[in-house]
Amino acid sequence: MKGLIRAQVSAAAIQANLQRIRAQAPGRRVLAVIKANAYGHGLLPVARCLAGADALAVARLEEALLLRAAGITAPVVLLEGVFTNEEMAEAVAGRLDFVVHDEEQLRLLEQAPGGAPDSTVWMKIDTGMNRLGFAEQVADAALQRLEAASNRIAGIRLMTHFACADDRASRMTREQLQRFDRLVASRSYERSLANSAAVLSEPDSLGDWVRPGIALYGVSPFAGELGRDLGLQPAMRLTSTVITVRDVPAGETVGYAGAWRSARDSRIAIVAAGYGDGLPWSLPSGATVIIGGRPLPLAGRVSMDMIAVDVTGTLVATGDEVVLWGPEQPVELQARAAGTIPYELLCAVSQRVPLRVS
Ligand SMILES: *Cc1c(COP(=O)(O)O)cnc(C)c1O
């Protein structure tokens, strides 16, 4: 693959992670979440390597239409639904399934000329997230309206979303689970509650459909845990290249703001990776990358196109490969060092980084 920096994505890892999720949720169906360019792993190639999932989910209509244009015929769910009559018409024409999460979306469906005969509608009920979904008090009335339109659609499913499933100590997940069970007790539609964290930690939440995202990419949804501790395989390996090595005498500074000062005569490798590629500016001096199998510390600030690495005492040379994250350098640890979550780092891998899924 060409390019100084590149993201190599393992299809085998993604498929193994799907199997890991299936083992955790036996007999349940899997709605594989591939929003945000498959968490930065490449929408179309990841969709193709997830042919073993039961359905695919994205957040935006544009992503769903890209899947259809690429000839992907699997069920595709719009997790936030549609927002205008035009979008509804495109969703219907694309045979997309979609969430209905508020009154306005219910109206768009009721008013759609010819209905949405090939679309399964996922009615979203809010059980405490307070983001999307019908509130407890109006959920039943909304569901009755949807049932009144049931001859205009292919089917109904019920869903909710957890706010704190990534916190094993939180009681919120069980509370949301009980609220959801109570609200839908009188109905027999298929149900979906669990994101990756709930699949891996709350067996009572599995329902009929699980909705894993981050776990498919081999990354832990839980702070302080790594994908590999959960039996997952990190799918992305983000690497770049040393573009020069220089000597920096003791006492001199490196990079913008002189944010790092050499305590001794040092050798500094300059690596072609910066925030223009999606490496966060907040990644501090001391955070490590791997060169020649060794973790070596950043020296100074992340620039747009470069980082500096303290390689004093090593044989690191121009042209050497640098692992920014991957199986040997967990993205969870880079995220923690940068004060963010691995989701953000993966989604931020920028367009100029060549991506290969194989
Ligand atoms: C993004 C998303 C998921 C997947 O969440 P992960 O934490 O990545 O597993 C599941 N359900 C909904 C509604 C989502 O928006």
Side-chain angles (χ1 to χ4, degrees):
M1 187 166 31
K2 282 221 187 69
L4 295 166
I5 184 165
R6 57 226 167 242
Q8 176 69 49
V9 173
S10 163
I14 292 175
Q15 284 156 1
N17 295 330
L18 176 60
Q19 289 320 308
R20 168 79 183 86
I21 288 158
R22 288 219 183 267
Q24 191 77 19
R28 320 301 168 113
R29 275 176 281 177
V30 176
L31 175 55
V33 180
I34 56 168
K35 60 193 178 188
N37 196 31
Y39 293 49
H41 293 65
L43 181 73
L44 296 178
V46 169
R48 291 196 184 97
C49 89
L50 284 170
D54 299 288
L56 304 170
V58 293
R60 304 276 197 265
L61 177 64
E62 292 73 14
E63 291 179 307
L65 296 177
L66 281 173
L67 293 170
R68 287 291 183 254
I72 289 163
T73 55
V76 174
V77 182
L78 293 171
L79 289 173
E80 295 167 16
V82 297
F83 297 96
T84 62
N85 290 318
E86 294 70 35
E87 285 195 3
M88 176 62 80
E90 292 194 82
V92 170
R95 311 176 72 124
L96 304 175
D97 299 336
F98 50 85
V99 166
V100 163
H101 63 71
D102 72 358
E103 167 87 27
E104 178 59 29
Q105 291 190 326
L106 204 45
R107 200 165 28 243
L108 289 173
L109 176 61
E110 288 167 341
Q111 293 172 355
D118 300 315
S119 301
T120 294
V121 175
W122 297 66
M123 195 182 119
K124 187 163 190 173
I125 299 174
D126 180 58
T127 53
M129 180 78 157
N130 280 308
R131 194 179 59 176
L132 300 183
F134 291 96
E136 195 163 350
Q137 310 81 283
V138 299
D140 201 70
L143 187 48
Q144 287 179 36
R145 267 176 72 181
L146 186 58
E147 286 170 329
S150 62
N151 59 339
R152 322 183 77 234
I153 58 180
I156 298 176
R157 293 185 186 130
L158 302 174
M159 66 181 286
T160 194
H161 194 51
F162 294 127
C164 302
D166 60 322
D167 177 0
R168 291 178 187 270
S170 172
R171 296 175 48 194
M172 180 99 173
T173 304
R174 291 207 68 85
E175 285 167 15
Q176 287 191 259
L177 181 56
Q178 286 160 10
R179 207 169 297 152
F180 185 71
D181 283 347
R182 200 166 59 241
L183 285 167
V184 304
S186 64
R187 305 299 211 286
S188 58
Y189 304 117
E190 290 177 359
R191 302 171 188 189
S192 177
L193 305 86
N195 56 6
S196 298
V199 174
L200 295 166
S201 67
E202 185 47 83
D204 292 342
S205 76
L206 296 174
D208 299 292
W209 288 80
V210 295
R211 304 194 306 270
I214 196 83
L216 289 170
Y217 309 102
V219 174
S220 170
F222 306 109
E225 297 177 43
L226 302 178
R228 64 173 180 242
D229 303 333
L230 300 164
L232 300 168
Q233 300 181 19
M236 184 190 291
R237 192 162 180 269
L238 182 68
T239 61
S240 190
T241 311
V242 174
I243 55 173
T244 191
V245 180
R246 67 188 302 122
D247 294 316
V248 176
E252 293 209 11
T253 66
V254 170
Y256 286 119
W260 183 90
R261 188 179 294 276
S262 61
R264 46 158 161 61
D265 289 347
S266 300
R267 282 184 81 237
I268 297 293
I270 305 300
V271 178
Y275 57 80
D277 303 294
L279 205 64
W281 182 84
S282 58
L283 200 65
S285 290
T288 58
V289 296
I290 295 192
I291 312 178
R294 288 173 63 161
L296 294 165
L298 253 59
R301 290 201 178 153
V302 175
S303 304
M304 187 180 292
D305 311 302
M306 284 171 269
I307 51 175
V309 179
D310 183 359
V311 299
T312 309
T314 73
L315 299 174
V316 169
T318 299
D320 283 1
E321 181 187 71
V322 181
V323 183
L324 302 163
W325 61 69
E328 63 273 65
Q329 174 71 352
V331 69
E332 291 93 331
L333 298 184
Q334 297 299 42
R336 193 189 308 169
T340 182
I341 54 175
Y343 295 75
E344 187 179 33
L345 293 197
L346 295 171
C347 291
V349 172
S350 78
Q351 281 226 313
R352 81 175 182 191
V353 178
L355 192 67
R356 190 171 67 188
V357 182
S358 61

